[in-house]
Amino acid sequence: MRKKIVAGNWKMNKTLHEGIELAKTINRQVEENEVIVVLCPPFIHLSGVAGIITKDSLFAGGQNCASEASGAYTGEVSAEMIRSAGADYVIIGHSERRTYFNESDEIVNKKVKLALANELTPIFCCGEVLAERQAGKHIQIVKSQVEKGLFDLSPEDFGRIVIAYEPVWAIGTGVTATAEQAQEMHKMIRDHIAEKYGNTVASNTSILYGGSCKPSNARELFLNSDVDGGLIGGASLSASDFMGIVNAILDK
Ligand code: PGA
């Protein structure tokens, strides 16, 4: 059975003190049930956030990792360091990384492998920009990102991947994909995984939706059969909004 997951991507927000307070509040409010909740704070907060977690269903994650294992890469943070800080997850290939930091599919693929080698669960992000959707190329773009980022993994390694479909035009814009648009893309991704790795691997892969997900629209998105949770940006910065989204998936 695939897991229901709600992950909060804090991006470059919150001071250390604010981040620890937010994590403490969420740790208090998370209930021990089948929903996995992941907090992805900035690196500098990671060990502090991981250290306050007491709930079995709550985990810490990085927002990125280096594409090299170690060495003279000033300012970079390796998958091994992220693991050693107490994280279990790491977001890889977020569209902001792809756009502002020129992360190619090849770089993203290297990061996925380093994450897996260090026992981190990659939350692999994919998604099209508005012009690509308007040109009718969204399916092709996302298929290609998934293939180039993930399809050289062994079936066993692929079984450890979480995918987040995040249409770039919906990220931070207040415009959400409709439930139909999300379901169409999630089903396409799952079918594509099935062609490559078979039905069992495909049906066990959690595919999250991301892009202006809020307590008010989360339930409708999550009720789709191929939407297994969310990767939440803006709404993860407020404990009440984030917990509203976490609780929305319990209705599934
Ligand atoms: P958003 O961000 O919820 O603020 O749209 C989602 C993400 O980038 O993961």
Side-chain angles (χ1 to χ4, degrees):
M1 267 292 284
R2 58 186 182 253
K3 296 179 179 124
K4 296 177 186 172
I5 303 172
V6 177
N9 174 9
W10 296 2
K11 308 192 181 181
M12 197 171 72
N13 292 293
K14 304 284 179 195
T15 62
L16 179 58
H17 178 74
E18 290 165 350
I20 296 296
E21 287 308 306
L22 176 60
K24 280 184 182 165
T25 307
I26 292 168
N27 183 63
R28 259 197 312 277
Q29 294 182 4
V30 160
E31 288 174 26
E32 312 262 6
N33 53 37
E34 79 275 19
V35 181
I36 293 194
V37 181
V38 185
L39 302 179
C40 301
F43 285 138
I44 194 105
H45 309 357
L46 194 52
S47 77
V49 166
I52 60 102
I53 292 175
T54 58
K55 300 286 176 68
D56 285 347
S57 52
L58 183 61
F59 297 91
Q63 297 176 11
N64 174 38
C65 70
S67 58
E68 301 297 331
S70 66
Y73 299 99
T74 302
E76 287 291 89
V77 177
S78 71
E80 185 182 25
M81 292 172 195
I82 294 168
R83 180 71 187 154
S84 74
D88 285 276
Y89 288 79
V90 61
I91 298 169
I92 293 182
H94 190 280
S95 67
E96 287 150 19
R97 302 289 323 168
R98 292 179 190 258
T99 305
Y100 305 139
F101 302 96
N102 300 320
E103 286 191 13
S104 63
D105 291 316
E106 292 68 31
I107 289 175
V108 169
N109 177 260
K110 283 174 81 175
K111 294 184 177 198
V112 165
K113 289 174 182 161
L114 282 165
L116 289 169
N118 287 284
E119 282 163 37
L120 291 166
T121 298
I123 301 176
F124 173 88
C125 300
C126 54
E128 80 286 357
V129 301
L130 188 58
E132 290 162 343
R133 178 165 282 266
Q134 285 171 339
K137 292 190 177 148
H138 48 296
I139 302 264
Q140 182 192 324
I141 293 288
V142 171
K143 260 189 172 175
S144 158
Q145 289 171 339
V146 170
E147 279 168 20
K148 291 182 180 151
L150 300 173
F151 274 14
D152 65 345
L153 298 179
S154 68
E156 192 193 41
D157 278 348
F158 192 92
R160 296 164 56 202
I161 300 287
V162 172
I163 293 181
Y165 167 59
E166 300 202 300
V168 180
W169 46 271
I171 296 178
T173 58
V175 180
T176 318
T178 63
E180 295 73 31
Q181 286 170 326
Q183 171 59 21
E184 179 198 36
M185 188 63 89
H186 284 229
K187 182 174 185 320
M188 184 286 292
I189 294 170
R190 198 178 306 286
D191 289 347
H192 201 41
I193 297 168
E195 281 164 29
K196 169 80 182 167
Y197 291 103
N199 285 332
T200 307
V201 170
S203 75
N204 285 333
T205 303
S206 298
I207 307 178
L208 317 183
Y209 169 80
S212 298
C213 189
K214 304 181 270 272
S216 57
N217 59 28
R219 188 167 280 99
E220 195 188 347
L221 288 158
F222 295 163
L223 282 176
N224 287 294
S225 57
D226 287 295
V227 180
D228 306 308
L231 179 55
I232 317 302
S236 73
L237 299 174
S238 140
S240 61
D241 285 352
F242 186 62
M243 289 310 298
I245 297 171
V246 170
N247 292 330
I249 203 163
L250 285 172
D251 293 347
K252 197 174 164 78

